[in-house]
């Protein structure tokens, strides 16, 4: 997932040490909108950590094209603020984009930034944008982190309007789980704004700047868990209402009207999900909010995560299909439309030809004649059949010879247990952003080596982070074969179905509806055996529940697939 992530380096603001959720952030996180500051214009320092006695910081003279460690080539300056700068760069060794924060070695926050970066790198949780390097050399200190070009910043998503309840539910669910895991390792964010949250193309949220963004700005908090919980509550509030839950405008969002206090989301905007509205207030209760049902406040990400888990699951909206456009046709009762011309006046619709008096008489006459003809025909057929039976008498029809026995229907051969050769295997994710899932190592699923495995992308829960009903691999046997059983070796306890395409399928199906479920099972060594042998060229191993990986996320891993007849 590291190679397929978004956005850029987090842009600084002027929030100081006050709670970050209560103040406006005047810059975006990826530098896409810098109407108030540019990469070439330093922003005035108003950070509460600075005092008149603190010596001025000399900014290093850096420019596009400059290389760090003869490896990281600086491309674009995103932020210059308070003695440090943030850049989009290229790792020429691995040929990928990265983000870089750069400070002079004598900066008063250098030690804390290095310590924060190294602690965040040790966490290794894929729900966070990963710190790749933290180096001090040549009077410079720089922190290198992932750059995720395929993700979208939450600031951008909020600018489009309020989120659907399912999307807002996914946001608070994934953020609370991620921050709970970070706090268990002693790490906090303290600057969890819309610019620090990214949504990938698979619908998963990733958090950037864990510990590092706060260290760069000297932000501290007496109760870091409470601060991060309030920040998640503010993000949920914004997702439900497209309003920032404080009086000041921030992050491109309008604040609440002055003097009325913190209103619940469902009082700010009609149609807001009641349960999510109450959840946002429970997370913000420390800032004066009051839950409508007087539920206890959530003061830590872990408490918020448990409150989310206790809610009824919010399902995604059913897909809607627009009816095909009906082009106007000439005729009675229609308004003829033509580009650039006004609509013509509607013409009254005359009665249908058979609705007149003469038409009704004709209709009943034709109906009577048809009934009489059908009755006569049926009587003649019955008479012929009875006559034929009478001529046979009591003779018994001789049984046909063995060679003339009729086939009572297609017979299914018994299982042979012989191995069936696999031609190719294709990863299959019909509910993702594209129909594939980690295609690079798909060959490991049937290479004969149980020590190698193909694995899915990571998900936040066993049920694919509630993003999809499943995914899997399609086994192409090269031609129609009898399928007696499919044995699948998983790494970790996994639930899966066996589905087969119709025998007549000439091409590999591209939708789940192109397969029929014939077996199911779970475990690490799973034999998926249909009630009776099936015949098909395309076999789908469809994963429905994932095992938990060592890093706390969930991945499916297939080490070997074997098909027998």
């Amino acid at each position: 997932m590291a190679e397929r992530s978004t956005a850029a380096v987090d842009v600084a603001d002027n929030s100081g040490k006050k709670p970050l959720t209560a103040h406006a952030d005047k810059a975006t996180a990826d530098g896409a909108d810098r109407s108030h500051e540019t990469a070439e214009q330093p922003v005035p320092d108003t950070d509460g950590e600075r005092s008149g006695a603190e010596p001025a910081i000399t900014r290093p003279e850096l420019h596009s094209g400059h290389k760090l460690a003869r490896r990281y080539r600086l491309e674009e300056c995103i932020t210059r603020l308070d003695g440090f700068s943030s850049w989009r760069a290229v790792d020429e060794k691995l040929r990928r984009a990265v983000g870089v924060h750069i400070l002079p070695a004598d900066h008063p926050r250098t030690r804390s930034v290095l310590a924060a970066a190294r602690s965040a790198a040790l966490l290794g949780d894929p729900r966070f944008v990963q710190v790749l390097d933290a180096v001090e050399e040549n009077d410079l200190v720089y922190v290198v982190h992932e750059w995720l070009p395929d993700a979208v910043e939450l600031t951008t998503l909020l600018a489009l309007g309020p989120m659907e309840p399912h999307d807002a539910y996914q946001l608070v669910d994934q953020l609370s789980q991620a921050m709970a895991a970070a706090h268990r390792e002693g790490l906090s964010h303290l600057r969890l704004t819309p610019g620090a949250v990214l949504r990938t193309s698979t619908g998963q949220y990733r958090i950037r700047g864990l510990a590092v963004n706060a260290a760069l700005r000297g932000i501290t908090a007496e109760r870091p868990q409470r601060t991060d919980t309030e920040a998640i509550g503010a993000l949920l509030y914004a997702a439900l209402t497209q309003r920032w839950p404080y009086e000041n405008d921030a992050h491109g969002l309008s604040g609440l009207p002055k003097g009325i206090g913190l209103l619940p989301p469902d009082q700010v905007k009609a149609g807001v999900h009641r349960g999510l509205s109450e959840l946002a207030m429970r997370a913000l209760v420390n800032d004066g909010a009051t839950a409508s049902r007087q539920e206890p406040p959530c003061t830590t990400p872990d408490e918020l995560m448990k409150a989310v888990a206790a809610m009824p699951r919010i399902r995604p909206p059913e897909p809607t299909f627009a009816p095909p456009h009906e082009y106007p046709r000439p005729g009675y009762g229609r308004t003829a439309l033509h580009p650039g011309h006004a609509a013509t006046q509607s013409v009254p619709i005359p009665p249908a030809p058979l609705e007149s008096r003469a038409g009704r008489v004709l209709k009943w006459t034709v109906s009577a004649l048809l009934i009489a003809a059908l009755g006569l025909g049926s009587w003649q057929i019955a008479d012929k059949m009875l006559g034929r039976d009478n001529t046979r008498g009591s003779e018994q029809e001789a049984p046909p010879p063995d060679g003339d026995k009729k086939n009572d229907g297609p017979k299914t051969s018994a299982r042979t247990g012989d191995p069936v050769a696999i031609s190719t295997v294709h990863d299959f994710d019909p509910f993702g952003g594209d129909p594939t899932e980690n295609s690079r190592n798909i060959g490991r699923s049937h290479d004969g080596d149980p020590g190698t495995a193909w694995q899915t992308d990571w998900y936040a829960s066993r049920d694919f982070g509630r993003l999809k009903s499943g995914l899997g691999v399609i086994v192409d046997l090269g031609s129609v074969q009898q399928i007696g059983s499919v044995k699948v070796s998983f790494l970790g306890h996994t639930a899966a179905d066996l589905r087969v395409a119709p025998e007549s399928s000439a091409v590999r199906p591209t939708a789940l509806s192109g397969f029929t479920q014939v077996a199911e099972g779970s475990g690490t060594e799973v034999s998926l055996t249909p009630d009776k042998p099936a015949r098909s060229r395309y076999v789908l191993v469809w994963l429905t529940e994932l095992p938990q990986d060592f890093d706390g996320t969930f991945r499916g891993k297939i080490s070997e697939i074997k098909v027998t007849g």
Side-chain angles (χ1 to χ4, degrees), residues 80-383:
R80 292 186 191 274
L81 181 66
D82 199 16
F84 73 88
S85 58
S86 299
W87 294 76
R88 177 177 60 83
V90 174
D91 182 349
E92 294 186 335
K93 182 177 180 180
L94 298 180
R95 298 181 180 179
R96 63 179 178 181
V98 294
V100 184
H101 300 301
I102 305 174
L103 303 85
D106 58 352
H107 195 290
R109 297 175 192 151
T110 295
R111 298 298 105 193
S112 61
V113 169
L114 283 174
R118 288 165 181 168
S119 298
L122 290 175
L123 179 63
D125 191 320
R127 292 172 289 199
F128 296 90
V129 174
Q130 299 295 297
V131 173
L132 305 175
D133 210 350
V135 181
E136 180 178 4
E137 68 175 14
N138 298 332
D139 299 326
L140 287 178
V141 169
Y142 54 90
V143 176
V144 183
H145 63 83
E146 284 183 291
W147 184 281
L148 312 178
D150 72 333
V152 179
E153 188 180 299
L154 183 58
T155 307
T156 302
L157 297 176
L158 295 179
L160 301 176
M163 289 185 173
E164 293 289 338
H166 173 73
D167 294 331
Y169 176 82
Q170 290 294 324
L171 174 70
V172 67
D173 186 30
Q174 296 185 33
L175 293 188
S176 59
Q177 288 188 43
M179 290 311 305
H183 279 282
R184 283 194 292 268
E185 299 299 326
L187 292 170
S188 55
H189 198 289
L190 305 184
R191 201 167 176 276
L192 195 56
T193 65
V197 178
L198 311 169
R199 188 169 73 178
T200 68
S201 58
T202 61
Q204 293 165 333
Y205 291 93
R206 299 187 67 181
I207 302 171
R208 62 180 170 195
L210 178 67
V212 175
N213 284 357
L216 285 168
R217 294 158 181 82
I219 299 174
T220 59
E222 294 181 0
R223 300 179 64 180
Q225 294 202 57
R226 174 172 169 171
T227 299
D228 284 341
T229 304
E230 289 182 9
I232 298 174
L235 295 178
L236 175 59
Y237 194 106
L240 295 172
T241 64
Q242 203 185 12
R243 300 287 292 268
W244 195 239
Y246 305 100
E247 291 185 351
N248 295 327
D249 298 346
H251 315 293
L253 302 173
S254 300
L256 298 179
K258 297 184 183 299
I260 64 171
L262 186 55
L263 296 175
D266 56 0
Q267 294 184 21
V268 174
K269 183 176 179 60
V272 170
H273 188 279
R274 180 71 179 277
L276 292 176
S277 176
E278 293 176 350
L279 191 66
M281 298 301 280
R282 292 177 65 184
L284 290 168
V285 73
N286 302 292
D287 198 75
T290 302
S292 59
R293 293 192 302 176
Q294 301 299 321
E295 296 281 358
C298 299
T299 59
T300 67
D302 189 67
E303 291 178 357
L304 183 58
M305 177 186 70
K306 292 177 180 178
V308 176
M311 289 181 58
R313 180 177 176 182
I314 301 176
R315 296 186 177 276
E318 294 293 332
T320 57
F321 300 95
H325 180 71
E326 183 177 355
Y327 291 95
R329 294 173 293 176
Y332 291 108
R334 297 187 180 271
T335 300
L337 298 180
H338 189 276
H341 295 277
T344 60
Q345 186 176 0
S346 297
V347 179
I349 302 176
L354 293 182
E355 293 301 321
S356 62
R357 183 176 180 181
R360 287 195 294 270
V361 173
L362 177 61
K363 181 169 61 176
W364 284 110
T365 302
V366 172
S367 299
L369 290 175
L370 287 175
I371 293 172
L374 288 173
L376 179 61
S378 300
W379 177 79
Q380 291 178 343
I381 293 173
D383 183 64

Side-chain angles (χ1 to χ4, degrees), residues 41-90:
Q41 295 176 343
V43 176
D45 179 16
T46 59
D47 195 328
E49 288 292 305
R50 296 287 301 272
S51 65
E54 188 175 290
I57 304 302
T58 303
R59 293 183 175 85
E61 293 298 328
L62 300 171
H63 54 83
S64 298
H66 184 91
K67 286 188 181 181
L68 301 173
R70 294 184 294 180
R71 174 176 179 176
Y72 303 111
R73 186 180 74 250
L74 303 182
E75 293 287 323
E76 179 187 5
C77 184
I78 305 301
T79 306
R80 292 186 191 274
L81 181 66
D82 199 16
F84 73 88
S85 58
S86 299
W87 294 76
R88 177 177 60 83
V90 174

